[in-house]
Amino acid sequence: MTPLAVAWPPVAMAQNTAVQPITVIGRGLPDSPATPAYDTTEIGRDTIVTSASGRIEDVLGSVAGFTQFRRSDSRSSNPSAQGVTLRALGGNASSRALVLLDGAPVANPFFGYIPFSALSPERLARVRVTRGGGAGAFGSGAVSGTIELESGGPDTLGPLQANLLVSQRGETQTSLTVAPRLGQGFAVASVAWDRGKGFWTTPADQRVPASVRAGYESWSGAIRAVAPLDDLTEVQASVLIYDDQRTLRFAGADSSSSGQQASLRLVGRADWAFDVLGYVQAQDFSNVVISSSSFRKVLDQVKTPASGFGGKIELRPPVGGSHVLRVGADLRIAEGELYEEPFNARTGLRTAVRRAGGRNSDAGFYIEDDWTIGSVVLTAGARADRWRMADGFYREIDAAGALTTDARFVNRSGWEANFRGGAIWRASEVVALRAAAYTGFRQPTLNELYRPFVVFPVTTQANADLKNERLEGYEVGLELTPSTGISFSITAFDNRLKDAIANVTLTPVLRERQNVDAVHARGLELGSSVQLGAVSFDGGLSWTDSEVEASGASVALDGNRPAQVPKLMASGTLAWAPRPGWRVAATLRHVGAQFEDDQETDVLPAATTFDGFLQVPLTTGVKLVLRGENLFDERIVTRNQSGSIDLGTPRTLWAGVRAGFR
């Protein structure tokens, strides 16, 4: 992992196609020269595939400032809680960071959560995390930053790779990927399957006969094909399908998340370079809530079908060697509805049927220019977004079939204008200084607008009148590269998210999604990357002073830290690769104390974990893999509802083999 992203070198253009082969890349257009002007971290292939858990959220957890709404990973959390954010701008379960897979958004169109279990690290070549508001393609969702996942091809994956691991609890992790070259192009086909009875999330002293382990079973399949149309143009087609089943806390408390996603991308690298992409998503979610007193079903979220589609077109005109100009437009449409049935906790009888949903859309137009003047690169960009919230409704009928609620919400629309700009000055081969300022916005999700939910005994109401969140921020940074393979970075930032959407407590058992005046986050982010022969170290640290600014009905929250936001997060990985195929790594990670709720009444204590990884070649193409999660068996509290506690991953040991052939 490197704290400063370096632009990918442009492809050498074939001057004589009769004697030079067509080069197929499988990526988008090269990074622009000013990419490092923003606080950017890049994670390479070796780090991606050698985490202790083998899960992408664990890989991202090493990035300073990355958080999910809860500390649980995608084996032991409710899928709808898997929102991601950066820079302590959290406070609810929606994602405030834009997550892209090969240029296409992957968040659930209804909830905004990220389907982490579908994003197998084995398929990826690199990850780039950019903190701060985004004004480029799909930038309307990037109020805290952008996470770009890039799939690998034959050069990074090899023609065949397979993994099989088993934990001490009998859980299994398997994957198989083939990546053949097909003429002048290539294809990648991959499947992954994880399953297990899971661990106890309920502490021993709180278990009852209905308590169960956090069992899970998830699988995903992906196909990607890349082919040249001519020597400077290529087409990229991708399909991803997945299904994820989990059980949390009580028998019968089952959740499921499934989906399909496809994208088609056309990339041209001639003088008039272009990147055209279209995508479509179809996802579903279900969830059963069990009473913690009667242990009967009290809510069955039967289904939440949602669809998303959109695309982008970006053009880079030839405006001279010192400028890189990007002009583009993008479109995102999300629609969906929930169907759920509440039940009486004592009788087990259905009491009502509810439906709710709507449609959000955003059409954006952006322009950005990078101007290189000697050792200085300047960048400036702007976006104009036409947003719309439409067709919102909430309908409920009682057990007798009588209509009790039929609410139709007023359609709303408007324009948002946002800007960003920055500079990086490479003062010498050792020192680089950078600065950036930006604005941004995020629409409320369909979930926030229309769907109430229960984490027993607390009910959180939706709010169809929510306003867009709007970001204002700036930062300054220093990059040091004292020698080859050694780099350090430090960034100071000040971000203010106006009209931030929070789950505001109204009574001990009732909350509502409301816009508070702002969430104001200031802090420092440190990164380091050291490569000295066979030894490497990658580290990151984030310290933030984040507080809610509130007045009116939510004035009681003024000055509080947002829910689920720690002040301090730090991670460091020391690795040793004495020979090809060998790797020994240890990761120390610390997450500071945070509050469960906006009232700062329930605390999630700080937790420090230690992970290990060992890979040893056995024979040609086959390696032994040993992994250890939370080796010191730290107690990780992931939920604390007035003393009712859930726990995170205990000590987990994995052993297996990895086969790969080139």
Side-chain angles (χ1 to χ4, degrees):
M1 181 171 63
T2 58
L4 178 62
V6 179
W8 292 89
V11 179
M13 302 305 180
Q15 300 299 317
N16 184 343
T17 57
V19 297
Q20 294 195 25
I22 295 174
T23 303
V24 172
I25 301 176
R27 299 193 297 266
L29 294 175
D31 298 339
S32 62
T35 298
Y38 302 99
D39 189 8
T40 302
T41 295
E42 186 175 308
I43 307 175
R45 169 76 179 174
D46 287 346
T47 301
I48 292 171
V49 299
T50 57
S51 72
S53 69
R55 310 186 81 82
I56 189 62
E57 63 268 31
D58 188 29
V59 176
L60 293 170
S62 64
V63 176
F66 171 88
T67 57
Q68 296 187 77
F69 180 63
R70 295 196 181 277
R71 298 172 173 181
S72 309
D73 66 16
S74 57
R75 294 167 293 192
S76 59
S77 67
N78 189 287
S80 64
Q82 291 178 194
V84 301
T85 192
L86 299 160
R87 290 197 163 162
L89 291 174
N92 67 21
S94 296
S95 292
R96 288 181 169 129
L98 173 67
V99 181
L100 303 173
L101 175 62
D102 298 319
V106 298
N108 178 278
F110 189 93
F111 294 91
Y113 67 77
I114 307 303
F116 281 122
S117 62
L119 305 175
S120 172
E122 303 297 333
R123 302 173 186 143
L124 301 177
R126 72 162 181 167
V127 175
R128 185 171 66 192
V129 179
T130 303
R131 306 168 188 85
F138 304 119
S140 59
V143 289
S144 72
T146 304
I147 299 172
E148 299 168 89
L149 311 176
E150 185 179 279
S151 296
D155 289 342
T156 52
L157 306 181
L160 173 67
Q161 60 165 315
N163 294 272
L164 172 60
L165 292 102
V166 181
S167 78
Q168 86 271 24
R169 292 186 293 269
E171 300 153 338
T172 57
Q173 237 181 41
T174 58
S175 67
L176 174 66
T177 302
V178 294
R181 295 192 178 277
L182 303 174
Q184 294 173 316
F186 64 83
V188 178
S190 175
V191 293
W193 180 32
D194 297 348
R195 64 183 299 273
K197 63 182 180 181
F199 55 86
W200 287 104
T201 59
T202 307
D205 60 354
Q206 295 185 7
R207 292 175 199 163
V208 296
S211 297
V212 295
R213 295 170 180 264
Y216 64 95
E217 181 170 9
S218 64
W219 64 265
S220 65
I223 298 176
R224 187 166 184 260
V226 179
L229 299 182
D230 57 39
D231 57 344
L232 297 176
T233 309
E234 67 182 52
V235 61
Q236 306 168 12
S238 301
V239 175
L240 173 67
I241 59 174
Y242 66 91
D243 184 80
D244 188 341
Q245 308 287 330
R246 307 180 198 176
T247 299
L248 300 176
R249 196 170 177 87
F250 298 120
D254 302 324
S255 66
S256 70
S257 174
S258 61
Q260 305 85 42
Q261 177 160 330
S263 65
L264 186 65
R265 190 177 197 180
L266 191 65
V267 180
R269 297 183 173 86
D271 289 341
W272 284 79
F274 59 85
D275 188 341
V276 181
L277 178 143
Y279 74 93
V280 61
Q281 299 170 294
Q283 299 190 28
D284 198 3
F285 169 82
S286 68
N287 184 57
V288 175
V289 179
I290 301 295
S291 168
S292 61
S293 56
S294 68
F295 309 111
R296 289 178 178 267
K297 178 168 61 177
V298 293
L299 180 65
D300 187 352
Q301 295 168 303
V302 180
K303 58 183 178 180
T304 316
S307 60
F309 53 92
K312 73 164 187 176
I313 178 169
E314 179 173 306
L315 185 65
R316 298 189 182 182
V319 290
S322 61
H323 286 271
V324 175
L325 179 64
R326 303 167 58 203
V327 181
D330 57 65
L331 174 68
R332 296 179 70 180
I333 297 175
E335 56 188 16
E337 65 178 67
L338 69 89
Y339 177 92
E340 66 180 23
E341 301 174 342
F343 290 79
N344 186 289
R346 295 190 302 275
T347 66
L349 297 177
R350 188 178 68 181
T351 59
V353 175
R354 302 169 183 155
R355 293 179 60 199
R359 176 185 175 97
N360 282 358
S361 63
D362 180 272
F365 308 89
Y366 63 92
I367 182 170
E368 195 156 20
D369 182 59
D370 295 352
W371 184 15
T372 302
I373 311 171
S375 60
V376 176
V377 180
L378 305 176
T379 182
R383 270 189 70 96
D385 288 90
R386 177 64 176 179
W387 58 268
R388 190 166 189 259
M389 306 175 199
D391 304 328
F393 73 94
Y394 181 87
R395 185 178 302 117
E396 182 172 330
I397 62 174
D398 63 19
L403 182 66
T404 57
T405 305
D406 190 8
R408 303 279 177 163
F409 303 111
V410 176
N411 294 347
R412 293 183 287 154
S413 61
W415 284 92
E416 292 275 358
N418 290 287
F419 309 90
R420 73 172 179 177
I424 181 167
W425 174 39
R426 302 190 184 280
S428 67
E429 293 183 356
V430 175
V431 178
L433 302 173
R434 53 181 170 79
Y438 35 77
T439 65
F441 92 104
R442 181 184 76 91
Q443 275 185 279
T445 63
L446 299 173
N447 176 53
E448 291 169 315
L449 290 165
Y450 309 122
R451 170 190 168 259
F453 70 95
V454 177
V455 179
F456 193 85
V458 178
T459 297
T460 301
Q461 300 285 2
N463 184 352
D465 295 324
L466 290 171
K467 295 182 288 187
N468 293 332
E469 297 180 335
R470 294 171 294 117
L471 173 76
E472 294 177 354
Y474 58 89
E475 63 191 56
V476 293
L478 171 67
E479 309 284 344
L480 299 176
T481 311
S483 64
T484 301
I486 301 177
S487 61
F488 303 95
S489 70
I490 182 170
T491 302
F493 67 89
D494 189 311
N495 285 188
R496 189 167 184 263
L497 188 66
K498 297 181 179 180
D499 295 319
I501 299 170
N503 299 333
V504 176
T505 298
L506 305 179
T507 73
V509 294
L510 181 65
R511 296 174 185 164
E512 183 183 54
R513 297 185 181 97
Q514 295 182 4
N515 293 103
V516 298
D517 293 345
V519 170
H520 192 183
R522 294 154 291 193
L524 296 173
E525 292 161 344
L526 284 72
S528 62
S529 179
V530 178
Q531 182 73 55
L532 297 175
V535 178
S536 64
F537 175 81
D538 292 295
L541 182 146
S542 173
W543 176 87
T544 53
D545 178 17
S546 182
E547 66 179 24
V548 175
E549 298 176 356
S551 60
S554 57
V555 67
L557 306 183
D558 191 54
N560 287 2
R561 197 189 321 167
Q564 306 290 335
V565 171
K567 281 190 175 183
L568 179 66
M569 299 180 66
S571 175
T573 298
L574 181 65
W576 178 46
R579 291 192 294 275
W582 287 73
R583 184 176 176 87
V584 183
T587 298
L588 187 67
R589 186 170 296 157
H590 176 81
V591 178
Q594 58 198 67
F595 292 106
E596 171 73 32
D597 62 328
D598 60 326
Q599 300 288 309
E600 298 189 345
T601 54
D602 298 318
V603 177
L604 307 180
T608 302
T609 58
F610 181 77
D611 298 340
F613 180 90
L614 173 65
Q615 179 176 278
V616 179
L618 298 178
T619 185
T620 303
V622 180
K623 305 178 184 69
L624 170 69
V625 175
L626 302 177
R627 303 188 324 214
E629 302 178 63
N630 192 9
L631 287 171
F632 295 156
D633 205 22
E634 176 83 343
R635 178 183 166 97
I636 307 168
V637 179
T638 63
R639 185 188 67 89
N640 180 7
Q641 208 92 52
S642 301
S644 175
I645 288 174
D646 284 348
L647 301 176
T649 307
R651 181 189 296 115
T652 303
L653 306 177
W654 295 87
V657 293
R658 170 175 292 165
F661 303 94
R662 293 187 176 275

